[in-house]
Amino acid sequence: AQSVSQHNHHVILSEAASLELGCNYSYGGTVNLFWYVQYPGQHLQLLLKYFSGDPLVKGIKGFEAEFIKSKFSFNLRKPSVQWSDTAEYFCAVMYGAGSYQLTFGKGTKLSVIP
Amino acid sequence: NAGVTQTPKFRVLKTGQSMTLLCAQDMNHEYMYWYRQDPGMGLRLIHYSVGEGTTAKGEVPDGYNVSRLKKQNFLLGLESAAPSQTSVYFCASSYSYLGAGDIQYFGAGTRLSVL
């Protein structure tokens, strides 16, 4: 079965620190990649997505992610986090062309200390 | 434009009781999905639908049934609730298949506790 691995369960950072959350997937074929964010008590919101083209994808709120096909990775980055970035972050992968199913990672909880 | 709306937001059941969760979307989306979210497990797909009148099993379908009688509604049923079904349930919808460049839009979730 296809899988998505998020390396960190819980990350704690101080405001203004840089962030990188890892995401690896298990399939060598066509994939579409997503990062979703879930703020406390809220539903999932799309941060960014990669379908094709430039492997460096910019999303909302200053987040970006880089697709490295050779490493099966799609890591999420932000140069300087804010307290309001405290949330849980989920990497999700659509495996195969023409699919409509997402496989989610287990999530990384980010706590930003003021 | 409400997007994806889930009802109820919270529910407590006793073991063996039944209930139905309702998901409604007003975006004319073809595809709808039910996920459950458990701590440390991420989201797992329960059932999904690729159009009115169609349903299919996802990763964790046991103990759940679904129906898509109307395009805008996707119902998730628990016939005999078990404590293992205590979870947060999310509904999502998308216009088409994700390979076409589409994304899934999520509802606010239903927190279900089975005692």
Side-chain angles (χ1 to χ4, degrees), chain A residues 36 38 43 51 90 99-100 106, chain B residues 33 37 40 48 98 104 107:
Chain A
Y36 280 87
Q38 186 178 29
H43 63 283
F51 283 84
F90 293 93
S99 177
Y100 34 76
K106 293 183 178 181
Chain B
Y33 316 80
Q37 183 184 29
Y48 62 97
L98 301 179
Q104 290 185 11

Side-chain angles (χ1 to χ4, degrees), chain A residues 102-114:
Chain A
L102 284 178
T103 301
F104 282 84
K106 293 183 178 181
T108 297
K109 186 175 180 180
L110 172 65
S111 298
V112 180
I113 302 169

Side-chain angles (χ1 to χ4, degrees), chain B residues 30 32 48-56 66-74:
Chain B
E30 288 292 335
M32 297 187 74
Y48 62 97
S49 167
V50 300
E52 182 179 320
T54 72
T55 63
V66 288
S67 64
R68 183 100 181 266
L69 299 179
K70 293 182 179 180
K71 184 177 182 179
Q72 63 268 34
N73 295 337
F74 194 30

